[in-house]
């Protein structure tokens, strides 16, 4: 059992030496993600203090934002239904435009 544990440690150490740059990149990313999460947590606290927002008020604001998002989605769906021909034209034109832009980009690449 001890031999197996020692072998695992040696294997991890060898892997760490072999993949040093990957391990360093992951550690750096992990550190920056933790720092960002901490900054976001502090900012949320400061914003709630600055605006005097309590939990119930925050919930109300979030539900209002959700209702506005849903309203926007419904209006977009209604507009698509009412103007089906225009919507169909846009759906055909947008991919064609993207294809033409990509072809132009490839031709100008040196």
């Amino acid at each position: 059992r001890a031999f197996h544990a020692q072998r695992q440690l040696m294997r991890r150490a060898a892997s760490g030496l072999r993949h040093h740059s990957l391990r360093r990149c992951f550690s750096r990313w992990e550190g920056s993600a933790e720092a960002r999460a901490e900054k976001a947590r502090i900012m949320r606290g400061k914003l709630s203090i600055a605006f005097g927002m309590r939990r119930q008020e925050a919930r109300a604001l979030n539900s209002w934002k959700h209702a506005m998002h849903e309203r926007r989605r419904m209006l977009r769906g209604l507009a698509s239904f009412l103007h089906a021909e225009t919507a169909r034209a846009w759906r055909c034109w947008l991919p064609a435009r993207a294809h033409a832009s990509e072809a132009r980009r490839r031709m100008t690449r040196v």
Side-chain angles (χ1 to χ4, degrees):
R1 183 136 189 139
F3 176 74
H4 181 65
Q6 185 70 21
R7 188 172 179 195
Q8 280 291 90
L9 283 174
M10 294 297 284
R11 203 177 265 178
R12 288 185 79 165
S15 177
L17 290 173
R18 196 173 324 130
H19 302 291
H20 176 70
S21 62
L22 289 175
R23 187 170 42 93
R24 191 176 62 220
C25 289
F26 180 73
S27 295
R28 193 175 295 157
W29 173 81
E30 188 177 30
S32 67
E34 288 171 359
R36 183 175 178 198
E38 179 64 17
K39 284 181 184 178
R41 186 189 64 75
I42 291 170
M43 187 61 102
R44 277 193 303 273
K46 288 183 179 181
L47 284 173
S48 67
I49 290 169
F51 292 109
M53 211 180 273
R54 291 183 293 267
R55 187 180 189 113
Q56 296 87 354
E57 293 168 338
R59 283 184 177 167
L61 179 63
N62 285 337
S63 65
W64 178 81
K65 283 171 37 179
H66 179 71
M68 290 297 104
H69 177 72
E70 288 298 311
R71 181 176 181 268
R72 245 182 274 125
R73 285 183 59 215
M74 290 174 68
L75 286 174
R76 182 175 284 160
L78 178 63
S80 179
F81 179 73
L82 292 176
H83 306 287
E85 289 178 8
T86 306
R88 193 175 310 118
W90 273 109
R91 283 194 302 271
C92 291
W93 182 81
L94 285 174
R97 176 73 176 115
H99 180 71
S101 294
E102 178 63 22
R104 187 177 302 113
R105 185 186 67 78
R106 275 194 229 134
M107 289 185 345
T108 58
R109 204 169 40 176
V110 176

